[in-house]
Amino acid sequence: MAEAFCLAAASNAVGTLMVDYLVKPIDRRIRYLFRFHKLIEDLHQQQSNLKKEQTRVEEEIKEAKLQIQTQVIEDYVDEWLTDVKKALTEVQNFERRVEENKRCFRLCPNWYWRYKLGQEIEEKTVYISKLVEDSPFEPIGHRAELPGLEFFPSEDILPSKSSTAAFKKIMEALNDDKVNMIGVWGMGGVGKTTLVKQVGKKAKESGCFRKVIEVVVSQKSIIENIQDKIADFLDLTLEKKTKEGRAEVLWRRLENEEKVLIILDDMWNEVHLKDIGIPLNENGKGCKIILTTRLLKVCESMKCQDFVPIDVLDDAEAWKLFSMKANLNERVSRDILEEAEKVAKECKGLPVAIVTLAAALKSTKTREGWVVAREKLESGRLVEIGNIGEEEKNAYLCIKMSYEYLKKETTRKCFLLCGLYPEDHSIDVEDLVRYAWGLELYNTAKSVAEVRYEVSVAINYLKDSCLLLKVEDKYGGRYVDGDGDFDRYVKLHDIVRDVALWIASEEKSDFMIKSRLELLNKSSESCKAISLLDSEEKNFPDRLILSKLEILLLKNCNVQGTCFLGMKELKVLSLRVAYGSTGVISLYALSSLQKLRALHLENFEDFSFLRNLKTLEILSLRGRTRKCEGLADEITRLENLKILDLTECAVYSSFPPNVVRRLSQLEELYLPELEISNNIVLEIKFLTRLKRLNLEVSSLHFPPDYEFPELEKFQIFINCKRCFSFDYTFNRARYLKIKKVFPYNPVSQLLGNLESLEVSDIKDEYVECLTNKTQQKVSVSMILQKLKQVRIEGCKNLKVVFQMKEVEENEAPLLSNLKNLHLRMLPDLRCIWELPTQHVRLGSLVVLTIEKCPRLQSLFSLSLAQGLVLLENLEIFNCPELKQIVTELEDDEGEISSTINSHTSLCFPKLTWLNVTHCDGLEYIFPISLAPQGLQDLGLTIKHCRQLKQVFRVANDNVLQHEQFLRSLSSFSVHGCPLLTDSDVHLEAEVAYIWDVPLSAFRDSFKTSKLLSLVSIKDHNLVPEANEDGLNGVTLIKLCGCPDLECLVDTTTTATKNGPTSAFTHLETLFMGDMLRLEALCKGQPPQGFLKNLKHLEILKCCKLQVVGEPLHDREENQEHPLSNLQSLLLCKLPELRWIFEGSPHFTLQSLKVVKIYECGKLKSLFSPSLIQSLVLLEEINMRGCVELVTLFADGEIESKTSSLPLCLPKLKTLHINDCSKLEYVVPITLAQGLTALESLWVSDCDELKQVFGMPNEQDGVQHHGSLLLPSLRDLKLSWLRNLTSFVPKNYIVKAPSLKILDASGCSKMTSLPNQQANNQLELTLEETGLSAFKELLCTTKDLILDDIGDHKNLVPDLIDLEHLDGLTSLSINNWQSGECLVDISQAMMDFKCNNQSPACFLQNLKILKVVNCGKFSKIFQMDDGIESNAYYLPNLEIVKIRGCSSLEYIFPHASVGVFTHLRKIELVELRNLRSIAGGSNFLEAPILEILHIQECSAFINFTFSKEVKKCVSLKELSFSMEDIDGEDVKSCNLINTQLRQKSSDFEYIPLGTSEPLDLFNVIRLREVATNLKLLTIHKCNNLACIIPVMFIRNFSQLSLLEI
């Protein structure tokens, strides 16, 4: 029996094991085959779940950003969204593969395919399910750190008192929600641009603004240019052609952007932001603006809220800057310093003058030299400069003297050449090289390379002289040549450019320049240079005598071929036209240019006659070129060509054979992005003079024995497109980018000089030129010695990057020039450097980036790491097997040796940024051998390193040695490292970010930190649990999503212990969000100094918090009080909050300025009367969604308080209340008397509100009388207050003399409003609100907007009298469904006759009339037959817009009575019953009418222009479109007799639309008037046979666009 039991048990056990190990795996595999459709259903279900979570998370992100303008979304949320998008894309790929398989195997399934795909689908379903589980994020984001108010000026410029104060003022204004426009003004060259660039940089780095857009406006203020620059910053394409259309696109984009700062630099005139398309910031959307200008009136006209002046330097600051730039130190003799100080004073404190003059004089070593300089300045006269102010004349003199101190004439010429470019234009140094060659500036140079070197010397000298500014190209690129190193782009300060042009404009100048079109009309015979490079379209004047002209640069300029006939000396020519332009001349016109050496053409297509330019040596083409064969044939005849540049020329086909080969003199060849044919590759070998080559080519085009010629500079792309991946602070002069196949033989000639190498997607185990495993034509040692940049990506089999077995002893160090190394997606990489380390020096390495190299275990040996003296940036991502960054030697027992020689210890002296992310195998960052003096100002970020225990590996006897130097970290950020502590080494950092790690793990660290950002920490309190010292040095704390945190300080736990005596004594900003268990700021008695310096407090989503200020204020009268310095308070989504401050009568809020309370559902009142007394600085109250709020101020005590101390809020400017449904009044009338500064009052969606200013505890039968003066109130908005009856209690009189805007919507019970004292400036908007309460205001109303105003037939006289509207300048009526006319003139005239009066004029001041969607309007003005009147109607009317009034028959009743002398624009749209503009047989007399649009007015018949619009001579736009809005048949629209013979010759735009058979000249006869027509649009003219008869073509000389 026992035996049977044992057998049964054994068999059962074996069966279970067999099921687990055999059956279940087989079952899974069978499921892949036979439950395939179920797997797909599961995948689709999880896909649906994931999409829902994606939508939810994206909505939460939007909400978070709306709540706080400076919200920054957490990295892990962004990572999750990226993973989601990738997963959903892969699901779509699965679906596509399933559908393809169904089509291919309809009858018989492909079982192997189904098995593999089923397995992948199940894995993907599990992965998506995990994404869904991970999606609840707490928190979703955190508040960005506020920018510090420290001004860091640009290089070599010292901060002044003025600039530092201005910087602080601007930053404060940017943080002020009420400020949208900031004006920075000061004289030219004072440093405005430098300052605002620093502001923009700081604002973006801090996260306060996501985008900072810098636009130079300059004097011409061309709207399209500004729009283009903004669109470039937004990566937005503006396809619309009109300014208005482009502005609308920009507006919509910017309106949806969050936190955008736009800097409008160098403004000279007012620019309307709406014309550009810039919406100002409202509710976190739109933009804030900083503008810079030399003119205070620009700040005023732009309505800047903050004016920030920048003054010149004072004497001490000016001397400090001057002496620094002129190298004047204490070793210089006193007599020289005295003269130098006098010279410095002549600069009048202007930085641009100081810098340029000091640089020019820095080589002056004698007193006599300084005396000469001073006398020149003192005797200088600028009488001939008429357009500059007195304060700038000194700057001109100083800059001119700097020019005169240039020793070489060629350097002066280079400087003047820079003046050929427009204001604020980036100057391409390569252009200057080609101009210098063409002008024979260096006539002894034998090659272009020599000229390039000479120009580089000149440019560097000009920069050293501060006459030129550095500027990076849009990629940050550097321009490198030979041993010189200078920027590819430079720029002239606008004042320096003015001086350059002034110098070159003098008759005695050897190089006279004309840079403006108007200057050409003056004497130009001696002119040598003309530059018209601005974007405006213009005509180049002919008949000019330009016999000495040597260089001509034209852009968007219509030029006649005959203009070139007299340019006998022309050597350099640049012609740039817009793509598709009709202004392109034939190149035959250039045949007379017998000295032309350099030619640049842009957007030309016809290259016929190019061969005639026999002297041409430089040819550069840009734009789209389809006629490649013709171009190639012309080029072959240019036998003297030295440079052929087609880099940015979009050639649509390859060159035919033997084109390149014939150009035997070619030194530089830059080929476009086209498929290079085999013949071009072969022909390049025959160009024996070739030194530079840019080329894209396939490796298939290389013959087996092919080799490139020896080149000095090259950029060659093999099997890939022309794009650069490096950090562009480094050069790319000798650059090779290879993909898929490494063609060693063809490129071998290039490897000896190679500087930059990019390799991707090759399948070999090594990069052939970086290893000596195989036989090499070129020494690998030589290659490694010269390489500066290496990037290797996607090489799946690569095991080692740099590999050499042996190196000769006398070899130069390997990799000694390497600056940038980037390794990415190398799944099998085991080692970076397999080299004899004694021959390797990494002393030049600046940037090292390692990404997704899962097998890599270490980066450096100790000896290699010791040489990293220039390393600045080290980033390591997704290397899960990485054990050590630096491998240290181990002793016999396996312990890391602590006896490291101090001379060879690690230092990393330049390391400023280290980021280590997702390296799960890493246990420490820095090894034991790190020297105490290392890591100065390091920013350290560590994320998701699960095994990391230490930042610094320290042996037991070395702890004390390392504590001191760790205090120099600039920032420390850790996220998701659960084992990391400071048990061995205490960390100190100016800024610390701790995420998902207990702060108590760093109990002894961050004692000197200024900013602490804590997310998801596991502590219950900060003091004493996380830190026992009280964190008294911290000035800013951000706490987000800490689920266990109950308070900041808990003194109850230290009652029997020695707790901290003080805590948070220097804290200025405190933000707390998503704290589920937070109950109070302090538990127990607050320690000394607690929050005494707190200025900004924000608390969001803390569901247990009931009181903010308890027991903070439970102190005696003579004790210091927490929050006494509080300036701003924001509370949002605190569902249990009942009181904000409760307790001691001694508590004071004397510094409070801003209060914002949102969605605190149980809050019933805001302040007690005792607190009101202290609110002397309060400026803003903003309440929203507090549904239980009964009163802002606990008014039970107010009556008793008023007798002793008057209640007032003397600084309150803004009071906004929204969605507080139980509020009966906003402010008690007793307190309202003290609102003398109130400017903006908005109240909306408060269902129980009866009065805005109410009488608390009002008794029945008691009469109250009084007056309320609101002297500063400008903006009053009352919206959707269904029970609002009056503004103030009965028998009160209200005066608001400053009221500008009054908007009342949905206040149907309103009976009284404030009486405004006359200023005729009110803008009044009414929607669903009775008009009777506003009659008295109408007399002073300027702009009136009425929307859905009730059941009345007319406005006058049913609702108001005609005289009420005398002051109106703008009237807009919308959605008035019962209205039949605006003014019933017949009834109004009867009223006047009853009073024995007769009006001389109706609506005499009205300029704009708009009527929209008033369906019953049959006439705007109703006049019965037989009524006669000599009164004028609307004599000042300028604009009429009427839309969607389906019953309207005509616009004006008796227009013949008066002339509309100011009418400029009429728009009539969707008026299906409109028969004419003027009633009866009348006509419209509008002599300056410019725009007439009539669209979708299907009953508009027998329209004759000369009849309807009499004496119109200014019409510029005429638009007809007779298509009915419902698509019905269009009634006969007879335009046959439309005559415009006597009309204006200024027509610009005429679109027409009809279905009648028409000849265009029967519609509009333009024989005499079409001379200025530019745009003609014709649509829906199905039977139109002729547009322009041949005999009239000459009349259309200005027509640029015909659209049919």
Side-chain angles (χ1 to χ4, degrees), residues 1122-1137:
L1123 305 182
S1124 59
N1125 287 302
L1126 189 67
Q1127 295 179 7
S1128 68
L1129 173 67
L1130 170 62
L1131 306 175
C1132 181
K1133 293 190 176 181
L1134 308 178
E1136 295 298 322
L1137 186 72

Side-chain angles (χ1 to χ4, degrees), residues 1169-1181:
S1170 58
L1171 271 181
I1172 296 175
Q1173 299 290 348
S1174 69
L1175 299 174
V1176 292
L1177 296 181
L1178 186 64
E1179 296 179 0
E1180 177 181 352
I1181 298 176

